[in-house]
Amino acid sequence: MDEKKSIKLDFWKCIEYLRPKAAVVICLTVLLALGGFLTARFLIPPTYRAELLLYASNSGGPGAAEPATLTASDLAASKSLVDTCAALLDSRTLYEEVARLSDPDGGYKSWHRRVTAASVEGSEVFRVYVTDRDPTRAAAIANAVAEVFPGYVSGIAEGCSLHVVDRATVPEERYAPSSAKYAALAGLLGAALSCAWVVMSGLAAELKGSAACAAYKGR
């Protein structure tokens, strides 16, 4: 019981320290949030993301005969091809073929970080994302992937047919950094630091006053 009481008293003691300094805490929080927003908006170079939509099938392609009915195993096999295609995006051979048509920045070492894939709600359709500081180059790289990736996949994964649904367009809005995210993180940091500073200052003042009082009584 005593331990719970002391914890409650400590909490309210912190509230007592913070209450008269609420304006200071709010000002510091707003200033740091504004600083985070301006940093993300004007100081950090933006990156853009181009998007490519593809469809993976385990059929022989558009000219092949389609089965009368699709079984659950056919759908499962088609969906597993999405994981296979996503893994093949990291290959050095694909990078070299894409580099002939475009000019990826950063070389092969940054290729796997800048080119990613994600399935659309677990279907056979998946998206390929290309991030770059130049929006035009991001779209050019994505469309180069559209040119060489279907043939590259069909030459490695037997029975896999990859079709381009939508080609990439030049992105108009930045992908990163997020100004709102930077502002929120900086604001939370400002609130935490300012609260800690106010509480520590109050504790130091109280300890100093207690020590002075004890010294006065000891005379």
Side-chain angles (χ1 to χ4, degrees):
M1 295 296 292
D2 294 339
E3 183 181 357
K4 292 183 179 179
K5 184 178 180 181
S6 64
I7 293 176
K8 184 177 180 180
L9 289 175
D10 290 342
F11 172 76
W12 288 110
K13 181 70 70 174
C14 293
I15 296 298
E16 291 178 4
Y17 293 147
L18 291 171
R19 188 176 300 169
K21 300 290 185 180
V24 176
V25 173
I26 293 174
C27 288
L28 289 176
T29 301
V30 172
L31 286 176
L32 282 181
L34 180 60
F37 176 85
L38 295 176
T39 298
R41 193 68 179 176
F42 299 107
L43 297 182
I44 301 178
T47 59
Y48 299 86
R49 186 169 77 169
E51 180 180 316
L52 180 69
L53 191 64
L54 301 172
Y55 172 77
S57 172
N58 60 348
S59 63
E66 296 290 341
T69 58
L70 289 176
T71 64
S73 60
D74 293 332
L75 293 175
S78 294
K79 291 179 181 179
S80 67
L81 291 177
V82 174
D83 296 332
T84 302
C85 294
L88 291 176
L89 276 172
D90 286 339
S91 68
R92 183 183 295 274
T93 303
L94 176 65
Y95 165 77
E96 293 174 351
E97 293 185 12
V98 170
R100 295 192 187 99
L101 301 177
S102 62
D103 184 21
D105 187 25
Y108 175 72
K109 290 184 178 180
S110 65
W111 175 257
H112 67 282
R113 296 193 303 270
R114 298 170 59 249
V115 180
T116 57
S119 62
V120 178
E121 297 180 353
S123 65
E124 301 92 341
V125 179
F126 67 102
R127 303 181 189 274
V128 175
Y129 301 105
V130 179
T131 58
D132 196 278
R133 292 183 178 180
D134 185 349
T136 303
R137 183 168 54 191
I141 295 173
N143 288 323
V145 172
E147 290 291 334
V148 302
F149 196 39
Y152 177 75
V153 170
S154 61
I156 295 178
E158 184 177 356
C160 176
S161 180
L162 196 62
H163 311 284
V164 178
V165 179
D166 285 328
R167 291 184 174 271
T169 58
V170 178
E172 297 180 356
E173 298 181 357
R174 65 168 61 194
Y175 171 67
S178 172
S179 300
K181 182 179 179 180
Y182 269 68
L185 292 176
L188 289 175
L189 179 62
L193 291 178
S194 58
C195 287
W197 174 72
V198 169
V199 171
M200 294 300 294
S201 298
L203 288 174
E206 185 174 349
L207 290 174
K208 184 177 180 180
S210 299
C213 183
Y216 178 78
K217 289 181 179 181
R219 290 181 180 178

